[in-house]
Amino acid sequence: MLRALRRRLALLLALLSALVLTLVAAAGLWLSWQQQTRAADLVFRSRFAALCDQLAVADLVTDGWLAARQLELGGVLDLTDGGRPVHFSVRQRQDADLAALLDQAEGAALAAGLDPDAPAGEEPRQVDYTVTEPGGARWRGITAVLPRGGGALRLTALQPLALAGPGWQLTLLAYGGLWLAGLAGLAAVSWLGAGRMLAPTRRAWQRQNEFVAAAGHELRSPLAVIKASLAAAEDPALPEAQRRGFLHTAQREADRLARLTGDLQLLAAGDAGALTVRPGPVAADTLCIEVYEQFYLLARAQGRRLTLQLPEAPLPPLVTDGGRLTQLLTILLQNALDHTPPGTPVELTLQPAPGRLRLRVIDHGPGIPDDRKEQVFDRFFRADASRTRKENFGLGLSVARELARGLGAALTLADTPGGGATFTVDLPA
């Protein structure tokens, strides 16, 4: 499923990137064409001006000289003297297509305001224009009237506006190659980018599958015990006391199942961003005293010494959800009692800090290795299965971290000096 999604996402990214690349390439190609067109026009004008200057001082104009100039222009030259074509132009006009093109040029020059019948002045006159052949080919043209010996020469130069010149072909090849290389690069980048974009989704999907599998495994155990205990309790051949024992076992496993279901619901609400938090003024020291009293007798029965350390100065009320904070401290204290040897002290401390209140649950047990300090917050993770009670599902610290997030607090784990683990809750004051 994720692989198909990656292919679709990569295709979408590649198409969007290809569209942008095509637009950029088209814009660059258009600008290049404009620059080449302007450059060609500038060269054409400069050569035409040089030709006009040469005609103005030339004593004799031969067909060979005109043919050479026409070759330099890369187009068509037409020269008339007193309205009559010179021999070079007469021979060119024998070509019907070329004669039609020159007639179009003469009409375009006339339309542009160059009257060939007007008296020649002392200064040359010229006009620029474009003409289009019936086949669609476009030509740039210049016609000039040059005073000469009391008469006038009329010089017409035409050059095709075709895009297929050698320079333009190289430009097309360069842009085409860059466009294809860009598409290949974009396809690779899109595939890698889609993989990176889907990496969190893949990890979440994997975690969800692992979570569902682990939850199913944990649910199966109490359900199997409940089913077997109820079936045994229905056996009339068993003594009443034994049947009540089976019912008690079923009740105990049902309580375990209820706790597991509650933890799973809380984690699901946290994942969905729907964890219910009802903030209000809370006396942090009073809350710590209540939690301490709740666990004091339990710790004493297990042969542990539970201590409470509070600041001497009174603390301002803390705006938080007292119920959720109590639930968080309960999980941390229960975890400390579950994972430390009998006789090991456990401490609950409350300290003010700049901009926050700091709660710590400190034990002096075996501690947690550095490579497992983050793993202990994973769902269904048990750092030491041999010390884990049957009632423990490996969800406690996961729930604690989710509660801390819901309260806007930070829950961290560090080593206790001398051995053990210290869980710290930093609450915004």
Side-chain angles (χ1 to χ4, degrees), residues 24-26 28-29 32 170-180:
V24 172
L29 202 58
S32 178
L170 291 175
T171 301
L172 284 176
L173 288 175
Y175 272 87
L178 289 174
W179 184 76
L180 290 175

Side-chain angles (χ1 to χ4, degrees), residues 85-133:
V86 300
H87 186 259
F88 175 80
S89 297
V90 170
R91 287 191 296 105
Q92 291 200 116
R93 289 173 184 267
Q94 292 174 358
D95 185 332
D97 293 337
L98 189 55
L101 178 62
L102 291 172
D103 289 341
Q104 274 188 281
E106 185 177 344
L110 184 62
L114 185 66
D115 185 0
D117 299 326
E122 295 182 358
E123 296 294 331
R125 295 173 288 136
Q126 78 176 45
V127 291
D128 304 342
Y129 49 85
T130 58
V131 294
T132 304
E133 290 185 283

Side-chain angles (χ1 to χ4, degrees), residues 321-339:
D321 187 326
R324 292 297 191 190
L325 182 55
T326 299
Q327 187 179 4
L328 171 58
L329 292 178
T330 297
I331 293 172
L332 296 179
L333 283 171
Q334 187 66 64
N335 179 78
L337 295 178
D338 287 345
H339 295 86

Side-chain angles (χ1 to χ4, degrees), residues 378-392:
D378 292 343
R379 298 168 188 184
F380 298 107
F381 176 81
R382 294 183 175 94
D384 189 351
S386 64
R387 286 197 177 96
T388 301
R389 300 183 309 168
K390 184 180 178 182
E391 292 80 0
N392 191 295

